[in-house]
Every structure is written in C-alpha cells, then in structure tokens.
Amino acid sequence: MKKSSFMHHPLVAGTLLLTLAGLLSRMIGFFYRIFLSHTIGAEGLGIYQLIFPIYALTFSLTVAGIQTAISKFVAETAACSSSGPGASHRPTAITYLYAGLALSLALSFLCTGFLYFYADELAIVVLGEARCTPLLQILSLTVPFGAVHACINGYYYGLQKTAVPAISQLLEQIARVGGVYLMYRIALEQGRPVTISMAVWGLVAGEIVSVLYSVSFTRFYKRTHHISRAARQIFTMALPLTANRVLINLLQSGEAILIPGRLRAFGYTSQEALSVYGVLTGMAMPMVLFPSVITNSVSVMLLPAISEAQAKKDMAYIENSVKKSCIYCITLGLACTLGFLLFGRFLGRAVFANELAGTFMVILGWICPFLYLTTTLSSIINGLGKTTTTFLLNLLGSGIRIFFVAVLIPMLGIKAYLWGMLVSHLAVSGIAVVVLRRYRVLS
C-alpha cells in the first residue's frame, strides 16, 4: 500500500489526529496534576478524586450508551449510502444526532437536579466524606454540557471525521486548566485560600468551552428523515449499553469508594487513607495511563470502522484491523512496562516529590500491556455488536478488583489493589482474545 493512501485511510488518519490531540491534552493534564498536588496536597487530591466515580456514573447514565449508538448508526448510514461518504448522506446521518441529543438531554437534566439537591446525602452516605457536598453540586452543572459534547463527538466518530472531537478535547483541557489557574491567581492576589472547589469549577469551564466549539462547527439541518425511527433505533441499542455501563460503573464506583475505608481497616488514619488514595489515583495512575492516549484513539476509531466493515461484510478488513491493533497495543504496553520498571521511582521523586507515587508506578507498570489491550479489544467486540460480551468481561474485571479491595486490602494494604488490577486486566484481555477467535476475526 502506498504511503499516501495509508495516511489517508480514515482509521489511520482519525487515530493519528485523536492521538495528537490526546497527547497534547495529556501533557497539559500531566502538568495540571503536578500543580494540583502542590496546591491542594495529597489529601485534597484524594477528596477531589472521590467525586470522579459519581462523575463517571452520570456520564454512563446520560450519554455513554447513546454516544456509542450514534457512532454505530451514523457509520452504517455512511457505509450503506449509494453516493458514498459524501455530503449527501449527512441529513440522514444527522437524524441520529438529533434523536440522541433529545434522549441524552432529557436524562442529563434529571441527573443534574438529582445530583444538586441530593449532594449532601451522596457525599455523606455514599462517599463517606462531607467535604464532597459542594463539589458534587458544582459537578452537577457539567452534566448537560457533557451530554451535548459527547453526542456531537459520537456523530463525528461515526463519520470518521475526528477534527472536531480532537480539537474540542484539547480546548476542553485548556479551558479547564486555564480557568483553574486564573482562579488560583485571583485567590492569591486577594489573600483567599486555594480550595478544591476551584478544580471542579474548572471541569464546568472545560465542558462549556468544548460544547460551544462543537456546536459552532456542526452543520445542523432543518429537515430530517424518519427521526422517530432513528430515536427508536438509538433507544433500542443504547438501553442495554447504558444498563451495562451503569452497572459496571456502580461496581467501579463502589470499588473506588471502598478503598479509603478498607485502608482505614488496614490501620491508616482517615487523613492517611485519603492521602494514599490521592497519590494512587491523582499521581501514579495518570502517569501510567498517559501512553493509553494512543490505544484510546485506536479504540474510538475502531468501533465505527468495524461497524462499517461489518455492514459491507468485509471480514478481511476486520481481521486485518484487529491483528494490527493487538500488535501495536502489546508492543506499546511492553515498552511502557520496561520504562516504568526502570524509571518509575525516579519519576515519583522528580515529578511529584513523592516516593510512594514512584513505588506505585513500578507495580502498575506490569499492567500496561493488558490494560492497553483490554481497551482496544472491548471496542472491537462492541463494534461487532456483541455488547453483552463486553458487559460480562467488564463485570468479571470489576468483580476481581472488588474482591481484592474488600478482602485483601485490610490484610495487605494498598498493594493488594494494585495486584488486583493486574489480575483483572490479565483475565479480561485473555478471555477477550478467546472470544474474538471464536468470532473468527482473530486467528
């Protein structure tokens, strides 16, 4: 294949664009984490990280399944269009965007109201930390904006045109970090304390800016075709996806929320438990996940590409894409494992001035090949329409980690959770490979 045709392939070009935007975004986020660790401290970072399971749950409930459905149906519409992937198919494709937006916004406004008015109960009863109450109320404002942003991204992923999602991702991160830094400077000049709430307001600023950009660059059509049919299709596919993701996120949220409590059972004070949790989730994990921007970009583009190839019954393309993706993920993962084993402790000291963060990176380095592979294989299985299989795999992985958290952390400490992550990703990626071999897309 010629280089020019290779570079203009939608899967390759889209992946490269998303990867570039993701790398820039992760680099900004990387320095942002360092900034937060020095301004609000390990305990403050732990409190801030506690709200993210709720954040992920609201995303799963309001838009995650809908975004996937929009992407799949738009890709199939493009593939089945008699005129090819030109402008003439877009009025039909955008019908799915309208239907998804209507469903997602209805759910998001309900979720915003619940999160805002029941923030106190969620903070005390669910998170076990009263200081999260104002953070959850601020967080609730991000939900409708996040819904619109995700739906528009799903539309462009389906068209395999990634410029708008990539740039909006980068703008979101810039607005988030820039907004927080501006509030930080104002607080210093006025002699006011720097609070965790500023970081959450940054999330709101990021979502608003990304939505304004995405809407301004999306061409909306007044006339649509069969919108009620599109809504039924979106609903039918999104319902099991949403149910699956909500259940998985409930388990993952329980997993994350349990960690500080089980650390207290191990013998830590409340402050020590939150500090260790903050170091793990706010320092070590973002560093280990940094290279996954590449595999995440591949995964985002694989789902519509495989859906389109499946609609065309092009099994050779699917098999070739799966093989190459697996090889890239494993190669990247092994390189990262070696890097974290050799330099993990140095990175902990040099970047975060924290020995514990370095220790976590060394242990977490072992999961890289399986972590990156699991993300890609799950996207491939979703692209084949086997969402129940993905759900069962996620359920297995979460169940393994919850066992390590609930049973082994009180006996072995936080390292039990790290080894639980390794076992879960090893099991899920191994079974996913077996599943794809049974579907005859991986030999």
Side-chain angles (χ1 to χ4, degrees), residues 291-313:
S292 69
V293 63
I294 300 173
T295 57
N296 289 344
S297 301
V298 172
S299 299
V300 166
M301 294 306 300
L302 269 174
L303 191 150
I306 287 178
S307 296
E308 182 177 336
Q310 192 177 33
K312 295 178 179 177
K313 302 188 183 304

Side-chain angles (χ1 to χ4, degrees), residues 13-34:
T15 298
L16 289 174
L17 187 56
L18 283 175
T19 299
L20 178 60
L23 283 172
L24 291 172
S25 181
R26 288 287 179 94
M27 287 178 66
I28 295 170
F30 173 73
F31 290 107
Y32 180 55
R33 291 284 177 177
I34 299 172

Side-chain angles (χ1 to χ4, degrees), residues 279 284 340 343-349 352 354-363:
V279 170
F340 285 119
F343 303 108
R345 287 188 170 84
F346 168 76
L347 289 172
R349 292 192 301 269
F352 297 106
N354 192 295
E355 291 281 350
L356 186 59
T359 301
F360 287 163
M361 288 180 210
V362 172
I363 299 174

